[in-house]
Amino acid sequence: MEFTICKIKPRGSFHLGEKEMVLEKTSNYIHSDTLFSAICNAYRLFYGNEELKKVLNLFEGREPPFLISSAFPYIDEILLFPIPKNTDFGDYTKDKKFRKVEFVSRTIFERITGGEDIKEHIIGENLVQGNHVLVTSKERTKLSTDKIWTIKEVPRVVIDRKTSASNIYHFGEIAFADNCGLYFLMDLRMKEYEKKVEAAIRVLGDEGIGGDRTYGKGLFKADFKEVKMDLEPKDHFVTLSLYHPREEEVSILQNGYYELINRGGWIYSIEAKNKRRKTVRMLLEGSVFNAPTGLEVYGGLASVKPKGFRDHEVYRYGYAFAVPMEVGE
């Protein structure tokens, strides 16, 4: 099956917010709900509010014109994928360094989802980025760097408007090495939206994604190309996006391998930038579930409109980007 891959080629550093306290942390990838929200805002900016409503109506009606994954790191031509939650490196090695692995190369990911053994790749020298990334021996020899991203804390001063008192806090930002950045997959289910969505993403590159955009953070150049993946039906699936199951899908969670995450934050739109969205619990990327027959798409949009807010609907993107996966006994 063919997907569109969009490479986010950074034009500077990013702040991908994780915490809103004294110390603001940054993530090393972009969750699918954040990415979808940013694309929708850019789509509205470029095509107008009525056109955006038409698109959102399709998502509400369980006929999404496109599906997206979260945006994960890449290095050179190697795409990194989240490690499926049912993967236990303890089956292969006692080396504690492998407990830190968050991402694996596409080659290793496809072996895992195909139910194949990955023992030959479990070598300490194949770990990069402080043991957070695992690649094959062949890929390791071709890497231009073993430090894909760098995270640092930048001190900032905030002034209290009433008392003029100053307070120092730290702002986390992530910078990617040359030939490195983020990418995400798109399943363009309605081809008539292909050019419009790609145009919106290019606009987003000039607007920026993530926090601290007023300081020029989050700018990027978008590069699109087609990629083929073997997606023959299997007994399970692993999601490459955050997943918010509908009520009739809750049974899928039984015997699944997953982690939960709370998603909150502020509304970002022309009408409101100082209103908090309702918090919703979602399933993390890399979570693995049984694949029931009869379902073409999993999940949906979660309404997170705060009480009393009437300007427009507010959603969290919760469609799973499901990749079939073979899970043994």
Side-chain angles (χ1 to χ4, degrees):
M1 187 172 179
E2 281 197 352
F3 294 118
T4 297
I5 177 173
C6 175
K7 277 191 172 181
I8 294 174
K9 296 185 174 181
R11 290 157 55 188
S13 58
F14 292 79
H15 171 72
L16 309 174
E18 285 291 302
K19 191 177 180 182
E20 300 173 35
M21 302 295 283
V22 176
L23 176 66
E24 289 214 16
K25 294 184 178 180
T26 184
S27 177
N28 50 17
Y29 70 99
I30 304 173
H31 290 297
S32 51
D33 57 349
T34 297
L35 184 59
F36 182 77
S37 177
I39 292 172
C40 285
N41 277 294
Y43 196 97
R44 179 183 182 183
L45 183 66
F46 203 56
Y47 294 107
N49 193 42
E50 292 305 312
E51 285 298 313
L52 175 60
K53 284 182 179 179
K54 290 179 184 178
V55 174
L56 291 177
N57 284 340
L58 293 171
F59 280 97
E60 285 181 300
R62 209 168 170 78
E63 294 182 356
F66 61 92
L67 297 174
I68 60 171
S69 73
S70 296
F72 305 113
Y74 71 83
I75 174 171
D76 301 321
E77 294 303 313
I78 300 171
L79 304 180
L80 302 180
F81 287 76
I83 186 77
K85 300 295 182 187
N86 65 330
T87 304
D88 185 1
F89 287 112
D91 294 338
Y92 302 102
T93 179
K94 294 181 180 180
D95 192 339
K96 295 180 180 180
K97 290 186 294 187
F98 284 87
R99 295 179 183 177
K100 291 185 177 181
V101 175
E102 296 177 72
F103 302 103
V104 295
S105 69
R106 178 181 173 181
T107 301
I108 298 175
F109 178 80
E110 290 182 341
R111 289 193 66 130
I112 294 172
T113 56
E116 299 176 46
D117 189 273
I118 60 169
K119 186 175 181 178
E120 65 182 283
H121 303 303
I122 308 302
I123 303 170
E125 289 74 13
N126 291 348
L127 292 169
V128 297
Q129 189 61 41
N131 303 328
H132 290 279
V133 174
L134 177 66
V135 298
T136 68
S137 297
K138 185 177 179 180
E139 291 166 341
R140 183 69 179 89
T141 62
K142 295 181 178 180
L143 295 185
S144 59
T145 178
D146 61 1
K147 189 127 185 174
I148 306 165
W149 66 81
T150 302
I151 293 176
K152 63 179 180 179
E153 295 168 7
V154 180
R156 293 279 177 81
V157 177
V158 62
I159 306 297
D160 188 290
R161 292 181 180 178
K162 291 183 178 180
T163 65
S164 296
S166 61
N167 183 37
I168 296 177
Y169 70 102
H170 290 81
F171 205 83
E173 62 181 45
I174 181 170
F176 289 90
D178 293 342
N179 299 318
C180 300
L182 298 167
Y183 80 93
F184 64 95
L185 297 170
M186 285 195 296
D187 180 6
L188 291 158
R189 300 167 62 86
M190 297 183 184
K191 291 297 183 182
E192 60 266 35
Y193 283 96
E194 180 176 4
K195 298 300 180 185
K196 286 187 174 182
V197 173
E198 288 185 2
I201 293 169
R202 294 187 195 280
V203 170
L204 178 60
D206 293 328
E207 290 288 309
I209 188 169
D212 221 21
R213 290 186 298 275
T214 54
Y215 289 85
K217 309 297 182 188
L219 304 178
F220 64 89
K221 178 183 177 183
D223 183 37
F224 300 93
K225 68 176 182 179
E226 300 301 309
V227 62
K228 288 186 178 181
M229 292 184 72
D230 178 18
L231 294 184
E232 292 296 321
K234 293 183 172 68
D235 55 359
H236 288 70
F237 72 88
V238 55
T239 179
L240 298 182
S241 62
L242 292 182
Y243 173 33
H244 186 265
R246 290 173 178 258
E247 187 175 345
E248 61 269 27
E249 297 170 15
V250 172
S251 60
I252 294 174
L253 276 60
Q254 187 175 5
N255 300 321
Y257 305 85
Y258 58 86
E259 289 183 38
L260 296 167
I261 183 172
N262 289 326
R263 302 294 286 162
W266 303 90
I267 297 173
Y268 180 76
S269 72
I270 296 171
E271 290 82 5
K273 294 185 181 180
N274 60 348
K275 296 278 187 180
R276 278 193 171 275
R277 289 175 283 199
K278 287 182 180 178
T279 299
V280 63
R281 215 170 233 197
M282 305 182 82
L283 298 154
L284 269 175
E285 303 90 346
S287 295
V288 177
F289 306 99
N290 289 308
T293 57
L295 283 180
E296 288 189 20
V297 295
Y298 304 94
L301 298 182
S303 177
V304 291
K305 185 167 68 173
K307 188 176 181 180
F309 184 75
R310 297 182 178 85
D311 292 324
H312 56 73
E313 294 299 322
V314 185
Y315 296 109
R316 278 283 185 192
Y317 178 84
Y319 279 96
F321 198 97
V323 173
M325 180 171 180
E326 196 71 49
V327 175
E329 295 295 330

